[in-house]
Amino acid sequence: MNPVRKQRLILVVAVLVGLAIAVGLMFYALRQNINLFYTPQQIAAGEAPLNTQMRVGGLVKAGTVVRDQESLDVQFVLTDGKGAFTVHYQGILPDLFREGQGIVANGTLISNTRFEAEEVLAKHDETYMPPEVQDALEKAGHPGAQKDSE
Amino acid sequence: MVWKTLKRWYHQLGSPRYFYTFSSTVLPWLTPIALLTLVTGLVWGLAFAPADYQQGNSYRIIFIHVPASSGALMGYMALGVAGLVAVVWRMKMAEVMLKAIAPFGAALAAISLVTGALWGKPTWGTYWQWDARMTSMLILLFMYVGVIALQNVIRDPRQAARAAGLLAMVGVINVVIVKYSVEWVQTLHQGSTLKMFGESTIDPAMKYPLLISMLGLWLLYAANVLIRARSEVMWRERRSKWVGKLVREGNR
């Protein structure tokens, strides 16, 4: 290769590698802030700040959704298998909200076991299938049928 | 052998005149095939593919969202390669490509953001969250706009290409972040459904129309790049004999 081009190539590669390392380090340092939400495990470990606006994410534990008959109050247990806490919410839940569904809630953590949500978002997983396939999977007791609860 | 063929192509396509004749033979085939593939994939996906077990029909936006997003990401990778060749080897065709690739990619990035927001409202319950995937995708759109703006703001086309090429290369780091953001950090956006390795978590009845739509859009992108590159080549070589001859013959 012609020496001038070689020099340019080395310079460009050096700049890019340096920049990639810088961005990588920045990403690493800000990891906690780039994460959209805290997991129940982190909350159980006391890593999340109390009484601050933040988001939590996890699965709605089956059989724990309690709806108030008179109002829009709802409470449920959010879990990731390694930690769990109760979420209180007043408002309309998204269509995809159901037991076993992954959700992200925005609000404040009152204590390590109680979260007051102002907004509840459903987190969709990457599985797509027609309803008939889902029925068939459920009938066969296939583990894939539970995949939608991830 | 393969290396030699690649090297020959590189030098041949590096010549504006050779590129012009080459694209003249490719385009009449590429454009109809691209349109046909895209329309087949979209009609199949939007009208005939089965509904999703959880989302019903609203999932169908995937047939636009995923092809647009993947096109925007691949387009930026191509932009980065063109930038590298333009900066290091100062090849004229790479400068032309830098200009030809950006606009369609920017449009696709915008489509990806808009369709994602429209899908997010019924599915997640929100149009927008500042999660890593969405934010990095927005940055991708800004990078595209930046590359286009840099080319227009600098008068001398060769200097403009070098500046834009450098920006294009730097932006490739962001493409990596967009791709892996859903794996590295917690995001509202789900992980990839289509997997390069391993089984995709999508039913075949939905996967095939999706893959066909993706292929169709990529081909359409390629056709658009060739058309843009041709007009740019014509403009840059307007003083050359072969362009003069083409214009006199009315053979545009």
Side-chain angles (χ1 to χ4, degrees), chain B:
Chain B
M1 179 64 197
V2 179
W3 179 242
K4 259 191 173 162
T5 319
L6 279 178
K7 211 168 166 184
R8 201 186 66 226
W9 276 353
Y10 176 83
H11 285 292
Q12 283 179 336
L13 289 175
S15 139
R17 188 176 177 180
Y18 182 88
F19 168 82
Y20 196 87
T21 5
F22 168 80
S23 57
S24 300
T25 45
V26 169
L27 265 178
W29 293 93
L30 185 60
T31 316
I33 290 175
L35 285 174
L36 199 70
T37 316
L38 183 62
V39 169
T40 308
L42 284 182
V43 170
W44 185 356
L46 296 180
F48 297 105
D52 183 60
Y53 72 115
Q54 266 197 330
Q55 308 171 55
N57 281 318
S58 71
Y59 94 95
R60 287 182 200 278
I61 207 156
I62 195 177
F63 297 111
I64 298 168
H65 179 75
V66 171
S69 316
S70 62
L73 289 176
M74 287 204 318
Y76 205 96
M77 289 304 289
L79 203 64
V81 172
L84 179 71
V85 177
V87 169
V88 176
W89 286 273
R90 307 275 151 100
M91 189 205 219
K92 276 188 187 162
M93 272 316 291
E95 297 173 5
V96 170
M97 281 301 170
L98 211 50
K99 215 164 176 184
I101 293 168
F104 203 83
L108 289 184
I111 290 173
S112 161
L113 288 167
V114 170
T115 53
L118 291 178
W119 176 82
K121 186 64 187 172
T123 313
W124 296 330
T126 180
Y127 287 113
W128 185 263
Q129 285 282 309
W130 291 101
D131 89 342
R133 172 53 79 77
M134 290 164 228
T135 310
S136 55
M137 198 65 199
L138 185 65
I139 292 173
L140 184 75
L141 174 63
F142 291 161
M143 298 298 294
Y144 266 123
V145 173
V147 168
I148 296 171
L150 253 185
Q151 282 168 333
N152 288 321
V153 88
I154 301 174
R155 253 249 158 75
D156 173 33
R158 304 222 64 182
Q159 271 188 356
R162 258 171 260 158
L166 208 58
L167 185 62
M169 275 188 284
V170 169
V172 168
I173 297 172
N174 183 53
V175 174
V176 179
I177 294 177
V178 174
K179 173 89 176 89
Y180 292 103
S181 54
V182 290
E183 290 171 30
W184 290 340
V185 295
Q186 310 282 7
T187 52
L188 182 60
H189 195 289
Q190 66 269 29
S192 300
T193 294
L194 296 171
K195 291 173 187 71
M196 196 90 80
F197 308 102
E199 209 183 331
S200 295
T201 48
I202 182 167
D203 193 84
M206 302 161 170
K207 187 170 82 180
Y208 292 118
L210 178 59
L211 291 178
I212 292 171
S213 311
M214 281 168 87
L215 181 68
L217 194 64
W218 296 347
L219 290 176
L220 194 67
Y221 194 169
N224 182 270
V225 168
L226 288 187
I227 293 168
R228 281 178 189 281
R230 280 163 66 85
S231 64
E232 181 69 18
V233 163
M234 285 279 257
W235 173 250
R236 287 189 178 217
E237 304 283 312
R238 61 190 179 278
R239 290 190 192 89
S240 73
K241 264 189 191 151
W242 68 272
V243 171
K245 193 161 164 261
L246 269 181
V247 172
R248 269 197 306 281
E249 286 169 0
N251 180 11
R252 298 199 298 123

